[in-house]
């Protein structure tokens, strides 16, 4: 029922109360006047008339009381509506400010990481974290929820799940063929499902692409993504009143992790949809030389080509150094450092030596790079 209809019914009730009181008075006084006769000077008659007046005014007072109660009830309902409107307005304002603060802090995270990535859709991320929030409801805390099987049921619980998944993948004692690819898939899931970010700027050699879509993940600097992932995750967890994750549990700068991913993506398996950017001339040849230099050891497990291995290992230790190979002077310097050692060692080797064939192939690759 609308407010106008309720207002009309209340006014009608007041009219009827007044009408009933008036009619009652008319009936009482008319009846009394008709039966009274001449005005009497006796106290008894006037006492009877006083009783009549008292009865009438009691009825009138009752009617007035009822009317007053109806009026107060109306005022109370009106006040409730005003209070509800104020609460709705406060809830709406709180929701707007809460969402605005969240999005502003996401922007601060982008700036803190030198705008290397953007959040694809901050509003979608907010709605995913706070699915119940809206103009009429605004909650500040979100609990992590897992079902009976231990599967996550919201983004908060998924953060914890994905984080533990990364801890497990990074901290294995030994990487086998394909483990680098499995780790990359875990990173991609974290990238897409939790962070909802996209890289900004030109592609870098070593950047991961999945189905030709670039990601803010570089196999030569995996720690960059992991640091950002932990920082963003902890921001979300703090914002929702949850415990933070401990990023130190992930050994993202492990060289063995880097070796595993290099091994998988420089020699990809069939039908592999994850690829890495390798646009710099000679990078694949240098990776091959690095891999073989790492494996060639003497009887005391020392590197046969220590200068070559350490030079290339240093280059492949970060995305910045790898992409520096795009500068011909840098590439030439690396090639010369390696070719000098390889040439000297090759002259000392016998043709029937165990590693002669491999060292000779390394020499050919380096000479080809120098003569490019």
């Amino acid at each position: 029922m609308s407010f106008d209809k309720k207002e009309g019914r209340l006014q009608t009730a007041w009219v009827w109360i007044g009408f009933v009181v008036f009619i009652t008075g008319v009936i009482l006084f008319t009846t009394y006047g008709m039966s009274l006769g001449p005005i009497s000077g006796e106290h008894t008659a006037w006492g009877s008339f006083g009783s009549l007046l008292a009865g009438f005014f009691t009825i009138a007072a009752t009617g007035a009381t009822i009317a007053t109660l109806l009026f107060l009830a109306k005022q109370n309902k009106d006040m409730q509506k005003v209070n509800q409107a104020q609460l709705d307005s406060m809830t709406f304002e709180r929701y707007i400010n809460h969402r605005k603060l969240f999005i502003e802090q996401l922007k601060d995270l982008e700036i803190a990481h030198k705008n290397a990535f953007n959040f694809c859709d901050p509003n979608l991320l907010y709605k995913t974290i706070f699915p119940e929030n809206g103009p009429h409801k605004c909650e500040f805390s979100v609990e992590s929820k897992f079902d009976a099987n231990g599967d996550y049921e919201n983004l908060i619980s998924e953060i914890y799940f994905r984080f533990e998944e990364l801890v497990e993948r990074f901290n294995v004692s030994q990487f086998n063929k394909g483990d680098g690819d499995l780790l990359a898939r875990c990173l991609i899931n974290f990238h897409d499902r939790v962070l909802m970010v996209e890289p900004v700027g030109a592609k870098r050699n070593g950047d991961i692409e999945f189905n030709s879509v670039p990601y803010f993940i570089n196999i030569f600097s995996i720690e960059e993504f992991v640091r950002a992932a932990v920082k963003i995750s902890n921001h979300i967890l703090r914002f929702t009143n949850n415990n933070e994750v401990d990023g130190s549990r992930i050994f993202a700068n492990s060289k063995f992790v880097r070796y595993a991913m290099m091994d998988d993506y420089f020699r990809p398996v069939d039908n592999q949809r994850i690829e890495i950017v390798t646009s710099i001339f000679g990078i694949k040849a240098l990776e091959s030389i690095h891999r073989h230099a790492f494996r060639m050891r003497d009887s005391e497990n020392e590197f046969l080509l220590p200068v070559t291995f350490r030079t290339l290992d240093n280059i492949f230790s970060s995305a910045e150094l790898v992409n520096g190979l795009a500068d011909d002077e840098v590439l030439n310097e690396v090639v010369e450092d390696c070719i000098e050692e390889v040439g000297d060692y090759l002259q000392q080797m016998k043709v029937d030596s165990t590693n002669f064939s491999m060292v000779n192939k390394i020499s050919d690759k380096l000479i080809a790079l120098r003569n490019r």
Side-chain angles (χ1 to χ4, degrees), residues 221-289:
S221 294
I222 303 174
E223 67 278 3
E224 289 181 359
F225 171 75
V226 172
R227 280 198 301 266
V230 170
K231 196 167 185 177
I232 295 170
S233 297
N234 282 336
H235 164 68
I236 294 173
L237 293 173
R238 284 194 305 271
F239 204 82
T240 55
N241 195 29
N242 286 281
N243 294 326
E244 298 182 13
V245 295
D246 182 6
S248 64
R249 295 176 59 204
I250 298 178
F251 303 120
N253 59 351
S254 167
K255 64 180 180 181
F256 299 108
V257 172
R258 187 171 69 252
Y259 293 167
M261 299 189 80
M262 289 170 63
D263 192 49
D264 280 345
Y265 293 123
F266 276 93
R267 280 158 303 285
V269 298
D270 293 339
N271 300 320
Q272 185 166 274
R273 293 183 295 171
I274 299 177
E275 299 177 339
I276 61 169
V277 177
T278 53
S279 59
I280 294 177
F281 179 82
I283 188 173
K284 291 184 177 181
L286 291 178
E287 187 280 332
S288 175
I289 295 170

Side-chain angles (χ1 to χ4, degrees), residues 31-282:
T31 303
Y32 190 81
M34 292 176 64
S35 61
L36 180 63
I39 297 176
S40 174
E42 297 180 0
H43 291 289
T44 303
W46 284 103
S48 177
F49 181 70
S51 297
L52 176 65
L53 289 177
F56 171 73
F57 284 119
T58 299
I59 294 173
T62 301
T65 300
I66 294 173
T68 301
L69 291 174
L70 290 173
F71 176 75
L72 292 175
K74 174 184 177 300
Q75 274 195 325
N76 183 53
K77 289 183 178 180
D78 291 345
M79 185 58 67
Q80 288 179 349
K81 291 178 180 178
V82 171
N83 291 339
Q84 186 60 48
Q86 290 177 339
L87 288 174
D88 290 343
S89 177
M90 291 174 61
T91 301
F92 178 75
E93 184 176 356
R94 185 170 68 169
Y95 163 69
I96 293 298
N97 290 335
H98 186 247
R99 187 181 65 177
K100 180 181 178 182
L101 176 62
F102 179 79
I103 294 175
E104 286 177 348
Q105 291 184 351
L106 293 185
K107 189 63 179 178
D108 291 340
L109 286 170
E110 292 176 355
I111 295 173
H113 290 86
K114 301 179 181 179
N115 293 310
F117 61 84
N118 284 334
F119 288 92
C120 301
D121 189 341
N123 286 309
L124 175 60
L125 181 57
Y126 178 86
K127 191 62 179 177
T128 304
I129 298 170
F130 301 97
E132 301 297 325
N133 280 12
H136 305 293
K137 182 179 180 181
C138 183
E139 298 291 342
F140 292 161
S141 299
V142 179
E143 295 182 357
S144 61
K145 295 181 181 179
F146 293 90
D147 62 18
N149 297 322
D151 296 327
Y152 54 84
E153 292 188 332
N154 61 10
L155 188 66
I156 302 304
S157 55
E158 185 170 2
I159 288 176
Y160 290 123
F161 174 83
R162 298 292 178 192
F163 179 79
E164 293 300 328
E165 188 178 43
L166 287 184
V167 171
E168 181 181 354
R169 290 293 178 189
F170 271 101
N171 300 349
V172 297
S173 58
Q174 181 178 350
F175 285 91
N176 299 313
K177 181 65 177 176
D179 286 345
D181 181 59
L182 291 176
L183 174 57
R185 294 177 187 277
C186 292
L187 294 171
I188 287 173
N189 284 333
F190 210 116
H191 185 286
D192 282 348
R193 296 184 57 83
V194 176
L195 308 183
M196 301 184 188
V197 297
E198 58 186 0
V200 175
K203 295 179 182 180
R204 300 180 301 171
N205 277 256
D207 283 352
I208 284 179
E209 292 184 333
F210 181 54
N211 289 337
S212 301
V213 176
Y215 282 77
F216 177 59
I217 305 170
N218 190 289
I219 68 170
F220 302 117
S221 294
I222 303 174
E223 67 278 3
E224 289 181 359
F225 171 75
V226 172
R227 280 198 301 266
V230 170
K231 196 167 185 177
I232 295 170
S233 297
N234 282 336
H235 164 68
I236 294 173
L237 293 173
R238 284 194 305 271
F239 204 82
T240 55
N241 195 29
N242 286 281
N243 294 326
E244 298 182 13
V245 295
D246 182 6
S248 64
R249 295 176 59 204
I250 298 178
F251 303 120
N253 59 351
S254 167
K255 64 180 180 181
F256 299 108
V257 172
R258 187 171 69 252
Y259 293 167
M261 299 189 80
M262 289 170 63
D263 192 49
D264 280 345
Y265 293 123
F266 276 93
R267 280 158 303 285
V269 298
D270 293 339
N271 300 320
Q272 185 166 274
R273 293 183 295 171
I274 299 177
E275 299 177 339
I276 61 169
V277 177
T278 53
S279 59
I280 294 177
F281 179 82

Side-chain angles (χ1 to χ4, degrees), residues 285 288-289 292 342 346 355-368:
S288 175
I289 295 170
H292 290 298
V342 172
L346 192 61
N355 294 302
F356 180 83
S357 176
M358 182 54 63
V359 175
N360 193 49
K361 288 180 180 179
I362 290 175
S363 177
D364 290 343
K365 289 181 179 180
L366 290 171
I367 292 173

Side-chain angles (χ1 to χ4, degrees), residues 258-259 290 307-319 321-322 334:
R258 187 171 69 252
Y259 293 167
H290 170 269
V307 174
T308 299
F309 171 74
R310 294 191 179 98
T311 298
L312 295 179
D313 198 52
N314 178 63
I315 289 294
F316 289 122
S317 66
S318 77
L321 292 175
V322 168
V334 170

